[in-house]
Amino acid sequence: MKIYTKTGDKGTTALFGGTRVPKNHLRIDSYGTVDELNSYIGLIRDKNSEDTLRKTLFKIQSDLFILGAMLATPTEKETLKNGKERLNIDKITEKSVVFLENEIDLMNKTLPQMTHFILPGGHETVSFCHIARCVCRRAERLSVALNEEETINNNILMYLNRLSDYLFVLARKLTKDLKVTEVKWIPEKR
């Protein structure tokens, strides 16, 4: 299989189902940002040696590929003419969201109560978590905007929202595990 097809040389790309759109289309921006997020999560996974966390991050990466495929499939192209689904894969469901919620709850049990906003940083891996969280929020904003133009599966929006929460709590957990100081943001009084 060749990597280059030359079909995008004029600034368009094909969605699942064959529809061609400009490469700056909101749908492309949405799943492109999910792809960027997936790369950062891979980086976080590579920086960790804890097997359970690596497996969780691998599952999240797989879920993001599914989510990206869902975003790359316009609603009107989800079903083939014979009535079968175009994407012959499991979809992101409420169960996917609950998985993230359970992971958040497990991590939160070991963390001190949060009393202030937290400044990102303290360790390279923690910083990567915060970058991933910000990219996830951008993917969510783009997906919300896309949903205003053409309806997308609501589980996509819920998953991205919860994933950004997961990444924030993961940053806090890694701060604790790596024995780094969590820096609270305390605004200066004028």
Side-chain angles (χ1 to χ4, degrees):
M1 175 177 149
K2 281 189 174 185
I3 291 296
Y4 60 91
T5 62
K6 301 183 182 183
T7 58
D9 289 352
K10 293 183 179 174
T12 65
T13 192
L15 301 172
F16 285 152
T19 305
R20 292 202 71 80
V21 296
K23 288 187 177 186
N24 65 351
H25 189 280
L26 189 53
R27 187 174 286 278
I28 306 304
D29 210 7
S30 297
Y31 73 73
T33 304
V34 168
D35 189 36
E36 180 184 353
L37 170 61
N38 203 335
S39 297
Y40 274 109
I41 291 175
L43 182 60
I44 296 164
R45 184 171 52 88
D46 289 345
K47 293 274 183 187
N48 284 281
S49 58
E50 183 188 323
D51 197 45
T52 303
L53 176 57
R54 289 175 59 80
K55 286 178 182 173
T56 298
L57 292 173
F58 185 82
K59 179 187 178 348
I60 289 169
Q61 285 189 282
S62 179
D63 285 349
L64 286 174
F65 259 95
I66 293 167
L67 191 144
M70 291 170 70
L71 283 170
T73 309
T75 307
E76 70 274 7
K77 300 284 187 169
E78 286 178 355
T79 307
L80 298 169
K81 290 179 183 178
N82 63 7
K84 292 187 177 188
E85 287 188 44
R86 180 171 303 281
L87 292 177
N88 191 19
I89 56 175
D90 290 338
K91 307 292 185 304
I92 296 298
T93 64
E94 284 186 44
K95 184 178 175 184
S96 311
V97 175
V98 169
F99 171 79
L100 291 174
E101 290 172 350
N102 290 337
E103 292 296 314
I104 291 168
D105 292 344
L106 279 172
M107 289 186 291
N108 258 334
K109 286 180 184 178
T110 68
L111 298 174
Q113 184 175 358
M114 203 172 94
T115 57
H116 293 80
F117 286 109
I118 297 166
L119 293 176
H123 188 278
E124 185 178 54
T125 307
V126 173
S127 294
F128 285 134
C129 284
H130 284 291
I131 292 169
R133 174 184 54 81
C134 293
V135 173
C136 188
R137 288 285 189 208
R138 180 164 26 101
E140 180 184 15
R141 289 190 304 272
L142 290 167
S143 296
V144 166
L146 177 62
N147 191 51
E148 289 175 358
E149 286 186 10
E150 46 187 294
T151 304
I152 62 172
N153 185 314
N154 193 55
N155 291 323
I156 292 171
L157 301 177
M158 288 191 312
Y159 187 88
L160 290 171
N161 184 271
R162 214 64 83 251
L163 181 55
S164 63
D165 296 335
Y166 169 86
L167 291 165
F168 176 77
V169 175
L170 178 60
R172 291 195 72 216
K173 176 192 181 299
L174 291 174
T175 297
K176 181 181 176 230
D177 293 352
L178 295 164
K179 296 175 178 39
V180 213
T181 302
E182 191 169 70
V183 180
K184 297 174 183 173
W185 177 65
I186 302 170
E188 293 181 19
K189 301 212 189 277
R190 294 180 190 232

